[in-house]
Amino acid sequence: MRSPVPVFSVAEYLAAESKSELRHEYLGGQIFAMTGGSKAHNIITLNIASCLRSQLRGGACDVFMSDMKVKLQAANQNKTIFYYPDVVVTCNSNDRDDYFVNYPCVIFEVLSPSTEISDRREKLVNYQTIVSLQEYVLVSQDESKVEVYRQDLPGNWTKEILANEDKLVLNSVNLSLTMTDIYEDIVGI
């Protein structure tokens, strides 16, 4: 027996999400529940957001953690997507919606077994369509390793892999993070 897959409008999704106790990502009319993260995932996310917030406080940029959505259009399609990145920064004065960011300049995803494939493929391709996005950062929670996808020219992305004592330089917000900043209090890394 076949059942139709429900399709929701953006307005229906946003209305339901504002009342939901669980977070859901929205991909062109379909809604997908988000899973919880490990302690390491949460500590790394908090470390990154705390460092960014303390360095950007009082300026033109806003830092958000995993409860803030990013709105975008799917790559090569005319479908709206809402993702919940682990950390997102916007420095655009036009980004004033209460429930989502339209103009991120840097996005962080802490890799988890349940999300890594999506973060590396689907989200990478879709995030790279955001004109304002300058850096997409993937952070391992199992080893001291960070991958940075950086837009150096419009539509031209490069990849840099950092480990151990390397520094993560964020050109989008003119600051840097050490691996110690990112992995503070993570045992075994």
Side-chain angles (χ1 to χ4, degrees), residues 142-175:
D142 301 320
E143 61 180 320
S144 178
K145 181 180 174 185
V146 173
E147 297 170 52
V148 185
Y149 292 86
R150 190 172 278 116
Q151 185 171 208
D152 54 3
L153 297 169
N156 187 47
W157 290 81
T158 59
K159 178 181 173 182
E160 179 181 12
I161 298 174
L162 308 170
N164 304 318
E165 300 302 316
D166 291 336
K167 239 183 206 178
L168 171 59
V169 176
L170 298 170
N171 299 330
S172 59
V173 290
N174 196 29
L175 59 87

Side-chain angles (χ1 to χ4, degrees), residues 28-101:
Q30 295 185 22
I31 297 174
F32 301 91
M34 300 289 295
T35 60
S38 68
K39 285 182 181 178
H41 185 282
N42 278 272
I43 291 169
I44 293 167
T45 299
L46 184 58
N47 288 345
I48 294 166
S50 296
C51 287
L52 292 173
R53 175 74 178 132
S54 69
Q55 294 183 52
L56 296 172
R57 177 178 276 123
C61 300
D62 293 318
V63 179
F64 300 101
M65 288 183 55
S66 56
D67 284 335
M68 181 59 65
K69 295 179 280 298
V70 169
K71 180 183 180 184
L72 62 135
Q73 295 298 310
N76 301 319
Q77 299 177 25
N78 191 21
K79 294 184 178 181
T80 301
I81 293 176
F82 287 93
Y83 289 132
Y84 280 99
D86 291 312
V87 179
V88 60
V89 179
T90 179
C91 300
N92 190 309
S93 61
N94 294 320
D95 226 337
R96 294 296 158 219
D97 192 281
D98 290 335
Y99 299 102
F100 53 87
V101 169

Side-chain angles (χ1 to χ4, degrees), residues 100-166:
F100 53 87
V101 169
N102 289 292
Y103 309 103
C105 58
V106 59
I107 291 174
F108 288 82
E109 293 285 6
V110 178
L111 300 174
S112 299
S114 63
T115 65
E116 184 170 358
I117 291 173
S118 174
D119 292 341
R120 289 186 181 283
R121 293 182 185 172
E122 171 198 319
K123 288 184 180 182
L124 172 63
V125 169
N126 287 324
Y127 281 148
Q128 287 177 333
T129 67
I130 303 172
V131 175
S132 63
L133 188 67
Q134 297 173 46
E135 290 147 332
Y136 177 49
V137 184
L138 298 175
V139 181
S140 173
Q141 64 175 304
D142 301 320
E143 61 180 320
S144 178
K145 181 180 174 185
V146 173
E147 297 170 52
V148 185
Y149 292 86
R150 190 172 278 116
Q151 185 171 208
D152 54 3
L153 297 169
N156 187 47
W157 290 81
T158 59
K159 178 181 173 182
E160 179 181 12
I161 298 174
L162 308 170
N164 304 318
E165 300 302 316
D166 291 336

